[in-house]
Structures are given as structure tokens and as C-alpha cells.
């Protein structure tokens, strides 16, 4: 009898701990999950998949109802990850840049459909490079198709550039297909748009971002270049076996890929998008408007050249800086980030006023995304196979 009473006491105590003062999290279908239960599930997934660190924010009614960090910013030193720890943002950079571009469109500075070369007073390949490599366009001298590329094409990955020039056998930048006719993921397209804007406005990407995005949203720990203040607390990327990548602090600002941010700051950015505090409703709708349907089996790798109907049910499409899908709960707008040791994902369901931000500093991070999205917000629509988010349970079977 005494043991039974002790067990009941522990059970009640645990239940009270889970109940706490935080509200339950509402999923897309209206069901609820308590923060305490979600905590346990996240820790279980991270342990099973060997994910070293994770930060997560969840929105209900366009407000943060859950924001927590788990694990380590640097596992060999057992340094705990914090909400203000700096993360390498990888391609989340593109979503933030897209908001900047749509803001410039709002202000009448940029037209999405005007060829970008027409904003310049001479061919872009005649400008002297100001960076190590990314604004060197000499290879386009004999490639007239680049003159057709617009901001819309850059943001929707239909401009014809490769992801990076280094992907080509000769490592030279060239237009691979008629601009605007097909989708091909391209960091170079975003950087081309960035360089044109820098020449047009006479200011750097970093200055534009601080003035138009970061300062208004109070994103004090976000930048497209490494800042000395980040030295205080930043996350290291971890390989699949848990060993560390060397931290890269030498990147010049590139719209597609170099943003450093924190869970706190990217949560502020997501809130700003949801509440339309940077872009008005019309511009937000434009940013999330489908530009071209995506029918490839996967986004990257050899399967990107083979088509399928597997994502027709969600009408997966490229929008402007984001991808979009259709669900019974309205449109979903998503963006991923992937770099050595850093894997991130965010998806917004504006009609339901529900969103999630996931940041990880592990090459195993993506292996828990499918399960985490389903558990946390009931998202069963994210095209996890197309994104190559192979669940850790399936990876174990293969290995």
C-alpha cells in the first residue's frame, strides 16, 4: 500500500510539472500537446538520432507559445545551447533577403519583372570585383541570356544560374537554360540580385538589412557577416559522429547563405512575417504566391532531374524566397537551411496563425524533422522525402 501511495504521489507530481503555467500547444487540427510532453519527446528524438543541439519556437495565434533550446552549442565542452546563442543560418538567409527585396518593391525602388541589368549603367561584367569572388561576372561577357534575368526569377530559382559556380565542371558562371522556364536551386541567383541592389543603392547588403529588417525587428544578434560580439556565445556544427566542424568566420556577406542569427532573433523575424510588421498584406501575399510547380523527386542530387506526381496533392511550388504548399489548413510557406553541421527548418501556416522554427547544429538534425513537425504542430504536409529529411529510424535500418 505504501509503495502504491508513493507511486501515485510521483505520478501526480509529474503531471503537475507538465501542466505548469505554460499553455498547451495547439496543432493544426485543433488537438493539443503540453509543453512538458513535447520536451520529453524532443529529448527522446535527439538522443535516438544523436542530435547535439536544437532550438525551437512554436507560434499559436501568431504569438510565441513555446520557445526552448536543448542540448549543446559545443558538445565536447558540454556548453549548453541558449536562445541567444549564435547559429550559422545557412539558407534561411534567403527567406530574410526575400523580405528585404519585397520591401524595396513596396517602396517603388525595384520592379520584380524588370531585367536586373537594366538597373545598371554598364554591363555587370565590366564592374571591378569588390569581393573575393562572388561579384566577379567576367564569365558572363559572352552569355547574353543573363540580361533577361529579373528579381522574380532570382527569388524563385528560375534564373538559370547553378547553385554555385563551383558546381560547374569548369567552375565558371553561366546561364544553364532560358531564364524563367524552369526551377533550379540557385544561390548565385540571390547573390546576383544582391550585387545589382548594392550597385543601384550604393550601400552594402549588411547596411540594407540592418536598416530595413534587423533594426525594426530588434534582431540585435543577426548579421550577414561575422561580428566580434558573436564570439561570446556561438554554436559549433557537429558531424554525424558528434565531432566538430571548424567554425567559418571569414565569409563575406552573401544574400543566399551567410546570415548568422539566434533562436531569439529568428523567432522575431518569423513573428514579423506572420504579423506583417515589415511587409504589408499585399506584399506578403506576393512573396508567398506560387511561381512554378515543383515536380522533381528530390530537391537536390541526381533525383532532381526526374519528375514525379508524389507532391501533386500539396501543389508544392517555388514562391519568392520561400517554397509553398497547399494543405487542408491553408497554405504553408516553408524555408530550409542546410550547411556543414547546421540543419534548419521553418514553416508557417498563416491562415491557422501557426508556425514553427527549428534550428539544429548537427548533421543529424534533419533526421528528426518529420517526426518533430508531426508531434509539435501536426504538420504531415512538409515534403520530407523531397527535402531528403530521411527519418533516423529509416537510416538505422539502412545502416
Amino acid at each position: 500500500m505504501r509503495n502504491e501511495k508513493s507511486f501515485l504521489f510521483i505520478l501526480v507530481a509529474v503531471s503537475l510539472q507538465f501542466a505548469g503555467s505554460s499553455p498547451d500547444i495547439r496543432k493544426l487540427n485543433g488537438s493539443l500537446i503540453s509543453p512538458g510532453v513535447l520536451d520529453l519527446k524532443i529529448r527522446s528524438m535527439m538522443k535516438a538520432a544523436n542530435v547535439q543541439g536544437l532550438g525551437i519556437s512554436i507560434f499559436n495565434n501568431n504569438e510565441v507559445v513555446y520557445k526552448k533550446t536543448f542540448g549543446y552549442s559545443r558538445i565536447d565542452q558540454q556548453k549548453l545551447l541558449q536562445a541567444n546563442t549564435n547559429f550559422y543560418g545557412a539558407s534561411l538567409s534567403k527567406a530574410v533577403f526575400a523580405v528585404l527585396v519585397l520591401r524595396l518593391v513596396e517602396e517603388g525602388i525595384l520592379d520584380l519583372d524588370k531585367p536586373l541589368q537594366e538597373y545598371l549603367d554598364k554591363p555587370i561584367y565590366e564592374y571591378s570585383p569588390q569581393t573575393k569572388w562572388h561579384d566577379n561576372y567576367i564569365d558572363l561577357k559572352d552569355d547574353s541570356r543573363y540580361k533577361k534575368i529579373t528579381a522574380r526569377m532570382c527569388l524563385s530559382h528560375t534564373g538559370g544560374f547553378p547553385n554555385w559556380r563551383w558546381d560547374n565542371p569548369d567552375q565558371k558562371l553561366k546561364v544553364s537554360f532560358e531564364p524563367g522556364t524552369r526551377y533550379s536551386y540557385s544561390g548565385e541567383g540571390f547573390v546576383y540580385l544582391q550585387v545589382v541592389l548594392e550597385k543601384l543603392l550604393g550601400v552594402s547588403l549588411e547596411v540594407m538589412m540592418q536598416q530595413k529588417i534587423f533594426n525594426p525587428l530588434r534582431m540585435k544578434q543577426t548579421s550577414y557577416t561575422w561580428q566580434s560580439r558573436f564570439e561570446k556565445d556561438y554554436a559549433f556544427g557537429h558531424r554525424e559522429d558528434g565531432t566538430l566542424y571548424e567554425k567559418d568566420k571569414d565569409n563575406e556577406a552573401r544574400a543566399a547563405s551567410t546570415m548568422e542569427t539566434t533562436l531569439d532573433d529568428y523567432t522575431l523575424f518569423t513573428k514579423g512575417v506572420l504579423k506583417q510588421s515589415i511587409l504589408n498584406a499585399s506584399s506578403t501575399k506576393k512573396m508567398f504566391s506560387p511561381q512554378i510547380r515543383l515536380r522533381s523527386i528530390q530537391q537536390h542530387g541526381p533525383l532532381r532531374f526526374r519528375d514525379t506526381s508524389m507532391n501533386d496533392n500539396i501543389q508544392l511550388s517555388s514562391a519568392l524566397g520561400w517554397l509553398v504548399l497547399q494543405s487542408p489548413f491553408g497554405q504553408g510557406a516553408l524555408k530550409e537551411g542546410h550547411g556543414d553541421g547546421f540543419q534548419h527548418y521553418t514553416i508557417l501556416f498563416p491562415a491557422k496563425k501557426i508556425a514553427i522554427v527549428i534550428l539544429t547544429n548537427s548533421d543529424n538534425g534533419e533526421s528528426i524533422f518529420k517526426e518533430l513537425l508531426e508531434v509539435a504542430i501536426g504538420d504531415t504536409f512538409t515534403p520530407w522525402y523531397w527535402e531528403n529529411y530521411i527519418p533516423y529510424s529509416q537510416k538505422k535500418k539502412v545502416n
Side-chain angles (χ1 to χ4, degrees), residues 52 73-75 236-239 242-245 341 361-363:
Q52 286 72 36
S73 61
R74 179 171 179 165
I75 197 168
F236 278 77
H238 297 80
R239 297 182 178 87
T243 56
L244 300 178
Y245 285 99
N361 61 332
S362 168
D363 277 344

Side-chain angles (χ1 to χ4, degrees), residues 1-18:
M1 181 65 72
R2 180 176 299 175
N3 288 339
E4 289 181 6
K5 288 182 177 179
S6 297
F7 175 76
L8 288 172
F9 176 80
I10 294 172
L11 185 61
V12 170
V14 171
S15 298
L16 288 172
Q17 179 184 359
F18 283 172

Side-chain angles (χ1 to χ4, degrees), residues 164-181:
W164 298 111
R165 62 192 71 185
W166 319 119
D167 298 339
N168 289 329
D170 59 4
Q171 298 192 345
K172 292 184 178 181
L173 184 63
K174 63 190 69 173
V175 180
S176 304
F177 54 84
E178 186 67 16
T181 61

Side-chain angles (χ1 to χ4, degrees), residues 93 96-97 205-206 209 214 223-225 252-255 258-259:
S93 307
V96 183
F97 180 66
L205 172 68
E206 182 67 20
M209 283 294 182
F214 301 152
S223 173
Y224 276 74
T225 56
E252 294 175 276
R254 286 188 284 277
T258 64
M259 182 180 69

